[in-house]
Amino acid sequence: MSKTFTSGLAPGALPLLGHARQLRRRPLRFLESLPGIGDLVEIRLGRERVYVPCHPELVRQVLTDDRTFDRGGALQDQFFELFGECVATATHRGHRRQRRLIQPAFHHDRLDGYAPMVEADAAALADSWREGQTFDLFPVLYTFTLRSVIGMLFSDRVDDATMDEVHRLFLAMTGGVTPRHGVARLISRPGAAEGGRRWAAHQLRGTVDRIVTDYRRAGEAGKDMLSALLAARGEGGERLDDTEVRNQAIIMLAAGSHSPATVLTSVFYLLAEHRAAEHRLHREVDAVLGGRPARWTDLPDLAFTGRVITETLRLYAPAWTIFRKTTREVRLAGRDLPAGATVLVVPLIPHRRDDLFEHPRAFDPDRWRPECDSAAQRGAFKAFGGGARKCVGDVLGMAQLKLVVATIASRWRLECLPDARVRPHAGAVAPPPRYLPVRLVERRR
């Protein structure tokens, strides 16, 4: 028996601003309230009508029908300006072609080539810390993940000075460690910093262009991501041109840095707040690693570590605003949407529904044990998106997260200091805690 969906209009929209105040002040509370209004809820971003699917079946429909619910709108234009046409910004036809060509960079046989770099980076991070050291966690982890993804892209075929240049320009382009993306860009006026970001984007494109040219000239196959992009061939022998390779490389920097750093920050925040789960994680890494850094081959034995990360992704999805634009008139939840309508998918809405998850705001890694994990839960879980646009690096991302969490937890406990401010910035694509100071405590087994 098919479900009859409901729709509604979110209350409290202000003239000119729409629901900007709610999204700024209490974004999670506002978004979590929408399922109580309907399965499809109309909100306002400024004067624009935006439709938010709250039922997992509607979310699935939007994410899988990317012909009808395609990339587009003001946010798409802003991303295109920074990243150019790439797998994350291309509309339907271009996206299908580009995804086919970049997919080999994430095949399982390629992951083995990235493994030594990830292992070495995680071990070096844990070794660099000292007993009693205090710092704001997200900026440290963001620096680490950005350095790590630069290494996976370019391996050791790029000198340190060029690596540093890529790092500096990317931070300047994205706004440092607190980049402003997503809803926030649509409900805020562009500042003077936008000109600096455009300049940095231009400079970064030039730097990566030179790297691509050097790779082409060398003509040797490496084990890094850029080598995989250059070697990729379609069924008819087609390949990515140099501009496409450059754009894919830059979006990989974005996808492989800010979101993983956000998830890692949230993992250690939740572990510090839930000591029983932290103790179980420590027991697992002690049994598997025996005090050494994690290796790629350890990942199948780190089951509880994986559940901790999955539960963190449920509570704090790394991409919590996914915008789509309708390419034709379409009926959704019994409502006729015109061509050009904006649809906003927010994964945390189905992730936090109490009819799908028992005690949905509780941190409970065991809800992902095989005997507890249900089809309804998995169907509602959209931390990596869904359909043809599901994150192409989801397997690599999960493996990297497990390896880094296990390596750090094998050596350190992270204690949150009392002046933490964990409420996320409104409307960011991947919202880290605003300020999460931690103190390092070395573990002595």
Side-chain angles (χ1 to χ4, degrees), residues 41 47 165 168 172 197 211 220 270 317 384:
V41 179
R47 297 178 177 179
E165 183 180 6
R168 175 180 58 81
R197 291 192 182 99
I211 296 173
E220 56 186 75
L270 289 167
F384 293 103

Side-chain angles (χ1 to χ4, degrees), residues 152-408:
M152 283 190 281
L153 265 170
F154 306 129
S155 188
D156 57 358
R157 300 174 64 187
V158 173
D159 60 46
D160 290 343
T162 304
M163 293 276 203
D164 290 342
E165 183 180 6
V166 170
H167 186 273
R168 175 180 58 81
L169 290 171
F170 181 81
L171 288 178
M173 181 184 79
T174 57
V177 297
T178 56
R180 182 167 59 89
H181 297 310
V183 175
R185 278 182 168 244
L186 299 182
I187 62 179
S188 305
R189 292 181 179 178
E194 292 300 317
R197 291 192 182 99
R198 287 192 290 270
W199 177 87
H202 174 75
Q203 295 296 111
L204 179 61
R205 286 193 286 270
T207 298
V208 178
D209 280 339
R210 291 194 297 273
I211 296 173
V212 171
T213 298
D214 290 344
Y215 266 61
R216 291 279 195 204
R217 187 180 298 118
E220 56 186 75
K223 293 186 177 181
D224 53 40
M225 289 183 176
L226 189 58
S227 295
L229 293 176
L230 291 169
R233 296 291 185 273
E235 292 181 0
E238 64 173 327
R239 68 178 191 175
L240 297 167
D241 64 34
D242 285 1
T243 298
E244 291 175 321
V245 170
R246 173 245 286 162
N247 290 348
Q248 307 303 341
I250 293 175
I251 199 64
M252 287 177 180
L253 291 177
S257 57
H258 194 267
S259 292
T262 296
V263 177
L264 289 169
T265 302
S266 299
V267 164
F268 288 107
Y269 165 68
L270 289 167
L271 290 172
E273 294 292 303
H274 299 85
R275 290 301 187 192
E278 183 187 55
H279 292 158
R280 287 182 63 188
L281 178 68
H282 288 163
R283 287 197 300 272
E284 178 173 88
V285 299
D286 290 348
V288 175
L289 307 180
R292 61 170 170 78
R295 303 187 188 109
W296 212 260
T297 52
D298 297 318
L299 298 181
D301 299 319
L302 296 169
F304 185 73
T305 306
R307 294 201 295 273
V308 165
I309 294 167
T310 301
E311 180 67 348
T312 301
L313 289 166
R314 184 187 69 82
L315 287 169
Y316 300 105
W320 74 334
T321 53
I322 302 173
F323 283 89
R324 294 290 183 262
K325 206 80 168 178
T326 57
T327 59
R328 61 177 179 83
E329 291 186 10
V330 61
R331 193 166 184 82
L332 188 66
R335 184 163 184 169
D336 293 319
L337 305 187
T342 298
V343 179
L344 172 59
V345 173
V346 184
L348 69 84
I349 293 178
H351 288 185
R352 296 182 177 220
R353 287 182 62 131
D354 56 14
D355 58 339
L356 297 170
F357 296 95
E358 187 176 0
H359 306 300
R361 291 165 189 79
F363 176 65
D364 180 14
D366 279 343
R367 72 172 81 242
W368 300 105
R369 293 177 65 182
E371 61 269 29
C372 302
D373 187 4
S374 67
Q377 282 188 178
R378 283 289 168 186
F381 184 75
K382 298 298 180 187
F384 293 103
R389 288 188 179 270
K390 184 181 180 183
C391 175
V392 68
D394 56 345
V395 174
L396 173 61
M398 278 296 295
Q400 181 188 25
L401 290 169
K402 285 177 71 174
L403 192 145
V404 174
V405 169
T407 295
I408 291 175

